[in-house]
Amino acid sequence: MNKKREQTIELLSRSKSARPLKRALASLIDALFIFVLIYGCFFGGFKILETTEDYNYTKDQIKYEADYYKGLVEETHLAYYEQEEHTKVRYENDFFAYINITRLLMYSNENDLSGVGWYEEVKLHNTDQKYPDSLKELFDSNISNFEKIPVDEFLPSSYQNDDIAFFYTEYIPLHNENNDILNYNGNEPKEFFDKSFELAFSDNFATYFKASKNKETFPYVIEKNICQKIFFSSNYMNLDNSGDEDYNHIANGYYKLQENAEKRLMNSTTYNSTHYANYKANYSKHGHLIVLTLVLSYLVGFLAYNLTTKLIFKEEMTLGRKFLRLGQITYKGEKVKVKDIIIRTIMDTIFYFPLTFIFLFLPPFNSNANSFLVTLVTIGSLEINLLIIYIVILVLVLINFISALLTHYKLTLVDMATKTYLKDLKYIDEEDLDERNEGAL
């Protein structure tokens, strides 16, 4: 050991233990340097990954299956999509509900059970508002204010025009070989839809609907007074909110119908065992490739920083500790042993890993958390992904830091395991008031 190092160790042995906040500040300084280095490694590593055959194959398969599903759902009428550049973007479910509630309003205005001409009464009693001559004209005019709406025109509800009814009565019968999508259990498609519709609205069904006398026509009709309420409260009409509760009850029924129908489609044997299975397998492999690149990049960047600084400065000093004049020695006032350096390096490697969480908000992810949510390990029914690992590590870091707050010599659990102190060279040969009052640890 050279003379300068001997002097440093001798000074550290006479110094006070580093305070937790100063220790945390040194770690923060190190974290900034580490982050820049590992992000640079990851960005470069990801660029290399993008050139590999496995990465591009899984990426293409994921896109293919996603596009296939969008086309499938669009074909079933269970969702609306708009084309944006090279992909289709799904409309929100509340728009789906609005479309079908609008159709119900138009149907009810033409159906005897709900009272013919409720729209005419609205026009008569609301003279301050100028309405078009027909509901169809009104809704077509209203919807024209929105760009890229996937509905050419509004038509009254029917088994063909209502989107949920279309799925159960038109789409499934043509694509249900061997009950692949749905077993009607002896029911006719229209009967099954009727029961599904009533079940979705449950206790509210009798409040809002009546069955049609003619079973060949669409079976559900909104009551006359309800029609007027939801007409004025419609989110897209922006006229009145007095009927919001009624509108939301009906919208929630459509959300349930849409969700249940889409589950049937996804769980169908043909789709689930082929397209969805292919999607899941490639999605998982794609995510694993990204996570592996992330971990390797982190290890290269972290170890390059950690080992380089400690080899240059000695006594477990990193840049942060060097700036703040902190160093590590054993309980006996000696240099830290190699085996303890290895232990400390391993623990530091784990503790700094959550820094990679920030990558979520930077290129190439830009707040896309998909790769961080891919299951890495399954323990029973528990699926472990990166976000869970981050949480576990952060809890360990917190426990380790709290230990420094509670112990006399400001020791973390890692310090105790390696029988070392972190000392502050700013305070040499100063009386330890805590030691005088409490005694040595």
Side-chain angles (χ1 to χ4, degrees):
M1 191 187 320
N2 61 44
K3 187 174 182 180
K4 184 177 179 181
R5 188 175 183 188
E6 288 179 352
Q7 290 175 343
T8 301
I9 292 176
E10 193 270 332
L11 290 174
L12 285 171
S13 68
R14 292 160 49 195
S15 303
K16 290 176 63 173
S17 296
R19 296 303 179 186
L21 290 181
K22 195 166 185 179
R23 181 177 200 145
L25 180 58
S27 296
L28 179 60
I29 294 172
D30 288 331
L32 294 175
F33 285 105
I34 291 169
F35 175 78
V36 171
L37 190 56
I38 61 175
Y39 181 65
C41 290
F42 174 69
F43 200 77
F46 191 81
K47 290 297 182 183
I48 295 173
L49 177 65
E50 287 182 311
T51 65
T52 63
E53 183 179 347
D54 283 349
Y55 177 85
N56 285 292
Y57 176 79
T58 55
K59 180 181 178 180
D60 290 343
Q61 286 297 301
I62 291 170
K63 185 180 185 307
Y64 169 78
E65 295 300 350
D67 289 343
Y68 176 87
Y69 181 74
K70 291 175 183 178
L72 178 64
V73 174
E74 202 169 25
E75 181 185 350
T76 63
H77 290 198
L78 292 179
Y80 297 114
Y81 288 87
E82 66 171 313
Q83 187 71 37
E84 287 191 0
E85 295 182 357
H86 304 297
T87 187
K88 288 184 176 181
V89 179
R90 181 167 174 159
Y91 278 90
E92 297 291 337
N93 291 345
D94 59 351
F95 185 78
F96 178 88
Y98 169 70
I99 295 292
N100 288 286
I101 290 174
T102 296
R103 289 168 175 153
L104 281 169
L105 284 172
M106 295 179 67
Y107 178 74
S108 67
N109 195 56
E110 301 174 3
N111 190 288
D112 290 340
L113 290 179
S114 66
V116 173
W118 67 263
Y119 178 62
E120 281 66 27
E121 290 189 13
V122 168
K123 291 192 294 182
L124 179 64
H125 295 292
N126 292 271
T127 54
D128 293 338
Q129 178 75 37
K130 176 62 177 175
Y131 294 110
D133 292 335
S134 69
L135 270 174
K136 184 179 183 304
E137 184 182 345
L138 172 64
F139 286 121
D140 285 344
S141 173
N142 181 61
I143 209 65
S144 67
N145 295 322
F146 300 88
E147 297 180 359
K148 301 178 182 178
I149 297 302
V151 180
D152 294 332
E153 62 177 351
F154 285 115
L155 296 173
S157 293
S158 68
Y159 283 111
Q160 291 75 36
N161 293 333
D162 181 274
D163 290 311
I164 301 297
F166 176 88
F167 175 70
Y168 282 108
T169 65
E170 300 288 330
Y171 180 83
I172 292 182
L174 296 176
H175 304 81
N176 200 39
E177 186 176 355
N178 298 319
N179 295 323
D180 180 43
I181 302 175
L182 171 66
N183 187 343
Y184 283 109
N185 292 318
N187 293 290
E188 290 296 320
K190 290 181 180 179
E191 287 182 285
F192 192 92
F193 165 72
D194 294 349
K195 293 177 181 178
S196 299
F197 197 99
E198 185 169 351
L199 184 62
F201 290 95
S202 111
D203 295 338
N204 294 315
F205 178 80
T207 303
Y208 298 112
F209 301 102
K210 284 185 179 180
S212 173
K213 294 177 182 178
N214 183 353
K215 297 298 182 183
E216 293 304 311
T217 60
F218 193 72
Y220 300 107
V221 183
I222 305 175
E223 286 286 6
K224 183 175 181 178
N225 63 322
I226 302 296
C227 282
Q228 296 187 33
K229 285 185 178 181
I230 67 172
F231 173 77
F232 286 117
S233 68
S234 165
N235 294 331
Y236 293 89
M237 295 300 295
N238 295 316
L239 297 175
D240 191 348
N241 60 7
S242 61
D244 282 358
E245 183 176 355
D246 299 292
Y247 182 90
N248 289 333
H249 277 312
I250 298 174
N252 287 334
Y254 264 98
Y255 298 153
K256 292 178 185 177
L257 284 166
Q258 184 186 30
E259 180 183 3
N260 291 338
E262 197 163 354
K263 282 182 179 178
R264 294 184 190 280
L265 183 67
M266 288 191 67
N267 292 330
S268 62
T269 305
T270 301
Y271 175 76
N272 201 276
S273 61
T274 55
H275 292 283
Y276 190 55
N278 185 49
Y279 173 82
K280 287 195 299 182
N282 283 285
Y283 182 84
S284 179
K285 185 176 181 180
H286 188 76
H288 289 165
L289 289 171
I290 293 175
V291 172
L292 178 61
T293 303
L294 173 70
V295 172
L296 291 177
S297 301
Y298 170 77
L299 290 175
V300 170
F302 178 83
L303 292 177
Y305 174 84
N306 191 272
L307 297 179
T308 300
T309 55
K310 290 183 177 181
L311 285 172
I312 294 173
F313 301 128
K314 310 299 184 183
E315 314 334 322
E316 288 292 276
M317 289 186 184
T318 57
L319 283 174
R321 291 183 176 185
K322 184 68 175 178
F323 291 157
L324 298 178
R325 302 183 64 192
L326 306 180
Q328 201 92 22
I329 58 171
T330 68
Y331 286 175
K332 297 179 179 180
E334 301 171 345
K335 67 177 183 178
V336 181
K337 297 176 182 178
V338 173
K339 70 177 182 64
D340 293 324
I341 291 176
I342 294 173
I343 293 173
R344 296 187 65 84
T345 300
I346 291 173
M347 297 309 300
D348 285 343
T349 304
I350 295 172
F351 287 167
Y352 279 97
F353 184 65
L355 280 175
T356 55
F357 175 77
I358 304 174
F359 293 178
L360 274 173
F361 308 98
L362 300 171
F365 295 109
N366 296 320
S367 302
N368 184 350
N370 290 345
S371 299
F372 288 68
L373 297 176
V374 171
T375 301
L376 301 175
V377 180
T378 301
I379 303 176
S381 60
L382 180 63
E383 296 181 346
I384 307 297
N385 55 42
L386 269 184
L387 292 182
I388 293 177
I389 292 173
Y390 289 149
I391 293 171
V392 172
I393 292 175
L394 289 174
V395 170
L396 293 175
V397 170
L398 182 61
I399 293 172
N400 191 58
F401 183 74
I402 289 175
S403 172
L405 296 175
L406 300 179
T407 56
H408 173 77
Y409 288 115
K410 316 307 176 190
L411 302 174
T412 64
L413 296 179
V414 177
D415 291 338
M416 295 179 192
T418 56
K419 297 182 179 180
T420 60
Y421 297 109
L422 182 64
K423 294 297 194 77
D424 189 344
L425 286 168
K426 184 178 178 180
Y427 303 99
I428 299 174
D429 293 333
E430 291 191 10
E431 182 180 13
D432 191 329
L433 297 179
D434 291 339
E435 185 173 326
R436 185 187 66 185
N437 294 332
E438 302 172 12
L441 182 67

mmCIF file of all heavy atoms in Angstrom, residues 11 24 58 112 135 195 339 371:
data_model
loop_
_atom_site.group_PDB
_atom_site.id
_atom_site.type_symbol
_atom_site.label_atom_id
_atom_site.label_comp_id
_atom_site.label_asym_id
_atom_site.label_seq_id
_atom_site.Cartn_x
_atom_site.Cartn_y
_atom_site.Cartn_z
ATOM 1 N N LEU A 11 -6.605 8.942 8.076
ATOM 2 C CA LEU A 11 -7.515 10.079 8.262
ATOM 3 C C LEU A 11 -8.972 9.616 8.354
ATOM 4 O O LEU A 11 -9.746 10.137 9.168
ATOM 5 C CB LEU A 11 -7.353 11.082 7.114
ATOM 6 C CG LEU A 11 -6.040 11.865 7.076
ATOM 7 C CD1 LEU A 11 -5.964 12.710 5.811
ATOM 8 C CD2 LEU A 11 -5.914 12.762 8.319
ATOM 9 N N ALA A 24 -26.801 10.326 1.106
ATOM 10 C CA ALA A 24 -27.822 10.307 0.067
ATOM 11 C C ALA A 24 -27.464 11.274 -1.059
ATOM 12 O O ALA A 24 -27.690 10.973 -2.238
ATOM 13 C CB ALA A 24 -29.186 10.662 0.656
ATOM 14 N N THR A 58 -40.369 -10.509 -34.596
ATOM 15 C CA THR A 58 -41.411 -10.399 -33.558
ATOM 16 C C THR A 58 -42.186 -9.092 -33.692
ATOM 17 O O THR A 58 -43.401 -9.056 -33.501
ATOM 18 C CB THR A 58 -40.796 -10.489 -32.157
ATOM 19 O OG1 THR A 58 -39.766 -9.490 -32.002
ATOM 20 C CG2 THR A 58 -40.181 -11.871 -31.917
ATOM 21 N N ASP A 112 -94.685 2.970 -32.028
ATOM 22 C CA ASP A 112 -95.896 3.281 -31.273
ATOM 23 C C ASP A 112 -95.714 3.157 -29.770
ATOM 24 O O ASP A 112 -96.328 3.899 -29.003
ATOM 25 C CB ASP A 112 -97.037 2.363 -31.723
ATOM 26 C CG ASP A 112 -97.504 2.702 -33.125
ATOM 27 O OD1 ASP A 112 -97.224 3.842 -33.569
ATOM 28 O OD2 ASP A 112 -98.117 1.840 -33.756
ATOM 29 N N LEU A 135 -85.234 13.957 -37.008
ATOM 30 C CA LEU A 135 -84.107 13.542 -36.165
ATOM 31 C C LEU A 135 -82.905 13.151 -37.009
ATOM 32 O O LEU A 135 -81.762 13.443 -36.658
ATOM 33 C CB LEU A 135 -84.523 12.358 -35.293
ATOM 34 C CG LEU A 135 -85.129 12.681 -33.938
ATOM 35 C CD1 LEU A 135 -85.614 11.408 -33.284
ATOM 36 C CD2 LEU A 135 -84.124 13.383 -33.040
ATOM 37 N N LYS A 195 -82.054 -11.592 -24.719
ATOM 38 C CA LYS A 195 -81.736 -11.932 -23.329
ATOM 39 C C LYS A 195 -80.450 -11.239 -22.871
ATOM 40 O O LYS A 195 -80.359 -10.773 -21.724
ATOM 41 C CB LYS A 195 -81.596 -13.449 -23.182
ATOM 42 C CG LYS A 195 -82.906 -14.205 -23.379
ATOM 43 C CD LYS A 195 -82.702 -15.711 -23.293
ATOM 44 C CE LYS A 195 -84.023 -16.442 -23.518
ATOM 45 N NZ LYS A 195 -83.858 -17.917 -23.482
ATOM 46 N N LYS A 339 -13.440 -9.304 -0.919
ATOM 47 C CA LYS A 339 -14.737 -9.994 -0.900
ATOM 48 C C LYS A 339 -15.863 -9.047 -0.502
ATOM 49 O O LYS A 339 -16.996 -9.147 -0.991
ATOM 50 C CB LYS A 339 -14.685 -11.191 0.056
ATOM 51 C CG LYS A 339 -14.593 -10.858 1.530
ATOM 52 C CD LYS A 339 -14.630 -12.109 2.379
ATOM 53 C CE LYS A 339 -14.596 -11.792 3.877
ATOM 54 N NZ LYS A 339 -15.782 -11.051 4.327
ATOM 55 N N SER A 371 -43.139 -2.897 -22.841
ATOM 56 C CA SER A 371 -42.010 -3.812 -22.624
ATOM 57 C C SER A 371 -41.705 -4.000 -21.142
ATOM 58 O O SER A 371 -41.187 -5.038 -20.736
ATOM 59 C CB SER A 371 -40.769 -3.273 -23.342
ATOM 60 O OG SER A 371 -40.987 -3.191 -24.720
#
